[in-house]
């Protein structure tokens, strides 16, 4: 690669790194460590291909600053925790907005497939949701309480089971990225088709609005983070197919670290979604305004923290 092309390809990244080093407060040691690894890789490439150049000298200086900052921040445990949620994690998401869009698009497409398939073939619902669940729901509808399933189990047991299952689904969506993005895509398709089929069943009985107001009390968070976990899977799956300036191994290791952080960052949201499903959703007759408030607040938080705030933060750092 010619030096001019190398500079053009990486200039924005290096500028972002410089800004992170200047604004050290709130940046965790892990963030600086990732910075140091990337700069070191670029430095090694520059020294091999453009020895004694200004580019190599600049990257050497940047690597030294990153190394010094890394060990200076090593004892700031609370700063690491705060920095992870305030800066590090949002900046990771800022780099993968395309992956988020792809995951969202596939999930919406899958929901549409579930709805359309259920409309065309009535037995499709049973093949996806199972006879037991469908029969139980039909009985609940006849009894005048279509969403009674959320009231059947002890709240605490339900909370623990749902939360563990939700976390499991998110990690599956991520780990399936090892089979390339296609594997994660199939996980998103499967979950999306199930959601579309589920809501079509209530549409068929004329209670879609009631189902939406109840299910999305927890579903707004639950379904959103499945999509985000899918984006992490795409990051992993694309790492060894499109390594960029890294070797395939370096790109893969970097994606594993960043993708794992993306999924771990979702755990508190899954816990909150599990809490809402277990302790709040069971009140199926709550006022409409309260249900809408919870749903809209949940979607607003997801949109702000994972889309709007990361982009604003990255732009702010680049302009610093």
């Amino acid at each position: 690669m010619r030096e001019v092309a190398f500079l053009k390809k990486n200039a924005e990244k290096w500028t972002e790194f410089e800004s992170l080093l200047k604004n050290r407060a709130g940046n965790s040691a892990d963030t600086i460590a990732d910075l140091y690894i990337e700069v070191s890789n670029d430095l090694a490439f520059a020294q091999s291909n453009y020895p004694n150049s200004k580019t190599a000298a600049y990257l050497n200086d940047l690597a030294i600053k990153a190394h010094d900052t890394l060990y200076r921040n090593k004892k700031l445990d609370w700063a690491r925790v705060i920095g992870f949620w305030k800066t590090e994690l949002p900046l990771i998401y800022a780099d993968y907005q395309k992956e988020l869009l792809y995951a969202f698009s596939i999930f919406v497409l899958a929901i549409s497939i579930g709805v359309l398939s259920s409309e065309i073939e009535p037995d499709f619902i049973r093949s996806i949701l199972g006879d037991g669940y469908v029969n139980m729901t039909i009985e609940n509808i006849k009894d005048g309480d279509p969403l009674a399933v959320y009231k059947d189990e002890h709240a605490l047991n339900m909370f623990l089971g749902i939360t563990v299952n939700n976390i499991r689904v998110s990690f599956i969506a991520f780990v399936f990225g090892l089979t390339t993005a296609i594997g994660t895509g199939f996980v998103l398709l499967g979950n999306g088709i199930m959601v579309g089929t589920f809501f079509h069943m209530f549409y068929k009985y004329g209670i879609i609005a009631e189902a939406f107001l109840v299910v999305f009390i927890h579903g707004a968070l639950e379904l959103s983070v499945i999509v985000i976990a899918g984006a992490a899977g795409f990051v992993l799956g694309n790492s060894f197919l499109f390594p960029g300036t890294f070797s395939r191994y370096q790109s893969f290791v970097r994606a594993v670290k960043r993708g794992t952080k993306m999924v771990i960052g979702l755990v508190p949201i899954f816990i909150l979604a599990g809490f809402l499903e277990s302790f709040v959703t069971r009140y199926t007759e709550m006022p409409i305004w309260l249900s809408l408030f919870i749903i809209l607040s949940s979607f607003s938080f997801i949109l702000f923290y994972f889309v709007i705030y990361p982009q604003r933060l990255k732009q702010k750092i680049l302009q610093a």
Side-chain angles (χ1 to χ4, degrees):
M1 182 185 296
R2 301 177 68 178
E3 185 175 2
V4 173
F6 180 66
L7 286 169
K8 185 177 180 180
K9 185 172 185 178
N10 295 286
E12 182 178 346
K13 178 178 67 176
W14 298 337
T15 301
E16 181 180 345
F17 286 167
E18 283 192 276
S19 299
L20 284 172
L21 290 174
K22 290 178 182 178
N23 300 280
R24 295 168 184 168
N27 294 319
S28 75
D30 286 340
T31 302
I32 306 302
D34 288 341
L35 180 160
Y36 180 63
I37 291 172
E38 292 200 31
V39 170
S40 296
N41 290 332
D42 290 341
L43 173 60
F45 183 86
Q47 288 176 332
S48 298
N49 294 274
Y50 328 114
N52 303 318
S53 66
K54 291 183 179 180
T55 301
Y58 164 76
L59 289 173
N60 184 64
D61 181 61
L62 192 57
I64 291 173
K65 290 179 181 178
H67 181 273
D68 291 343
T69 302
L70 174 63
Y71 286 94
R72 186 178 298 118
N73 284 351
K74 197 169 184 179
K75 297 182 179 179
L76 299 179
D77 292 336
W78 277 109
R80 291 185 66 183
V81 173
I82 296 172
F84 176 77
W85 296 104
K86 183 180 178 182
T87 305
E88 181 179 0
L89 189 60
L91 284 176
I92 290 176
Y93 282 115
D95 289 338
Y96 300 118
Q97 293 293 297
K98 286 184 179 179
E99 285 77 2
L100 284 171
L101 179 60
Y102 297 154
F104 174 76
S105 300
I106 290 174
F107 197 68
V108 171
L109 174 63
I111 292 174
S112 302
I113 292 173
V115 171
L116 183 60
S117 299
S118 299
E119 181 68 25
I120 295 174
E121 177 53 62
D123 289 337
F124 183 78
I125 295 176
R126 293 182 177 275
S127 67
I128 296 297
L129 302 179
D131 288 333
Y133 185 85
V134 172
N135 291 336
M136 177 190 65
T137 302
I138 292 174
E139 288 300 318
N140 289 338
I141 291 173
K142 291 179 179 179
D143 293 339
D145 194 1
L147 296 159
V149 63
Y150 295 108
K151 306 174 183 178
D152 288 345
E153 194 172 345
H154 188 275
L156 182 58
N157 293 335
M158 189 175 178
F159 167 68
L160 295 174
I162 288 171
T163 301
V164 170
N165 181 68
N166 288 341
I167 294 174
R168 180 184 63 83
V169 171
S170 70
F171 274 94
I172 288 175
F174 171 55
V175 172
F176 265 58
L178 291 171
T179 62
T180 73
I182 295 175
T184 295
F186 273 115
V187 175
L188 290 172
L189 279 170
N191 281 275
I193 289 173
M194 188 180 299
V195 171
T197 303
F198 174 82
F199 278 105
H200 183 271
M201 179 172 56
F202 291 100
Y203 168 77
K204 179 181 177 182
Y205 286 94
I207 51 175
I208 183 65
E210 180 180 349
F212 178 88
L213 289 171
V214 172
V215 174
F216 269 87
I217 288 175
H218 64 272
L221 294 177
E222 187 177 287
L223 300 181
S224 294
V225 291
I226 289 175
V227 169
I228 297 168
F234 287 155
V235 172
L236 181 61
N238 290 334
S239 63
F240 46 87
L241 293 179
F242 311 105
T245 58
F246 301 101
S247 68
R248 293 189 189 278
Y249 174 75
Q250 290 171 334
S251 178
F252 175 72
V253 171
R254 179 172 180 265
V256 169
K257 290 178 62 177
R258 303 191 105 199
T260 300
K261 290 176 183 178
M262 290 171 72
V263 176
I264 290 175
L266 298 175
V267 172
I269 304 176
F270 271 126
I271 293 174
L272 178 57
F275 173 83
L276 289 173
E277 184 170 357
S278 305
F279 293 94
V280 181
T281 302
R282 61 180 53 240
Y283 297 104
T284 57
E285 297 179 357
M286 73 166 59
I288 293 177
W289 68 266
L290 181 56
S291 178
L292 286 174
F293 174 77
I294 296 173
I295 293 169
L296 294 176
S297 296
S298 297
F299 276 128
S300 297
F301 166 74
I302 292 294
L303 181 63
F304 175 77
Y305 187 77
F306 293 98
V307 179
I308 298 174
Y309 176 63
Q311 295 185 50
R312 288 181 178 177
L313 180 62
K314 184 175 182 179
Q315 190 66 28
K316 181 179 179 180
I317 289 175
L318 290 174
Q319 293 175 350

